[in-house]
Amino acid sequence: MRSARLVIASPSLSVDEISSLMGCEPDAYRRKGEVRQGARIPIPAADSTWELRESVDGGTAIECALDALMNRIFPLENELHRLSQTDCVLKLCLVQWISKENEVGPGFSLGLEGIAFLAKIGAFLDVDQYVE
């Protein structure tokens, strides 16, 4: 599994408030104080989190998920920039599981337009790669 996610976290704004400011609903969310389903240790969330997600299988390049997500978030530039001026933390998260069976190897690239976009909205990049 390979995924690209835009995550917005806020200690003060609710999921509903973030949705209102974004002008769209998230693909996934967790309300402040909720415990993650299936958590081994039931720790309430310190922040509300709001996410847009794109996923592909292990045989598909993670760039396909990244490109699909970037196409969804480019039109939301103004909304994301406004949120970055609050106590919200914005991050682009890439998760890549890698195994010998994958036809597509590890790695990805993010072009100048994508890097400039992340800088403009005040987002940072979080990359996790796991070997199976």
Side-chain angles (χ1 to χ4, degrees):
M1 177 65 103
R2 297 169 181 202
S3 66
R5 299 177 295 135
L6 173 73
V7 179
I8 300 170
S10 175
S12 63
L13 295 176
S14 70
V15 170
D16 296 331
E17 289 170 319
I18 296 170
S19 293
S20 178
L21 291 167
M22 288 294 293
C24 63
E25 294 298 314
D27 295 331
Y29 64 87
R30 185 173 325 137
R31 298 184 189 286
K32 183 175 180 175
E34 282 183 348
V35 174
R36 184 172 48 88
Q37 190 173 18
R40 285 186 259 166
I41 301 173
I43 300 173
D47 298 327
S48 295
T49 55
W50 188 103
E51 298 183 15
L52 294 179
R53 296 179 172 183
E54 294 291 337
S55 298
V56 294
D57 64 29
T60 304
I62 193 168
E63 288 175 328
C64 293
L66 179 57
D67 289 346
L69 180 65
M70 296 303 282
N71 287 335
R72 290 178 68 190
I73 65 175
F74 279 146
L76 301 171
E77 180 178 337
N78 292 333
E79 292 84 349
L80 291 165
H81 180 70
R82 277 195 293 276
L83 281 172
S84 74
Q85 303 305 302
T86 68
D87 65 357
C88 290
V89 174
L90 284 68
K91 62 182 172 178
L92 175 64
C93 301
L94 301 177
V95 177
Q96 186 174 30
W97 287 89
I98 304 162
S99 71
K100 290 182 204 177
E101 291 75 35
N102 294 148
E103 296 174 16
V104 179
F108 69 94
S109 63
L110 184 61
L112 292 177
E113 182 183 23
I115 292 169
F117 178 80
L118 293 179
K120 185 165 186 180
I121 66 169
F124 66 91
L125 181 61
D126 178 20
V127 179
D128 295 320
Q129 293 182 314
Y130 304 98
V131 177
E132 294 180 292

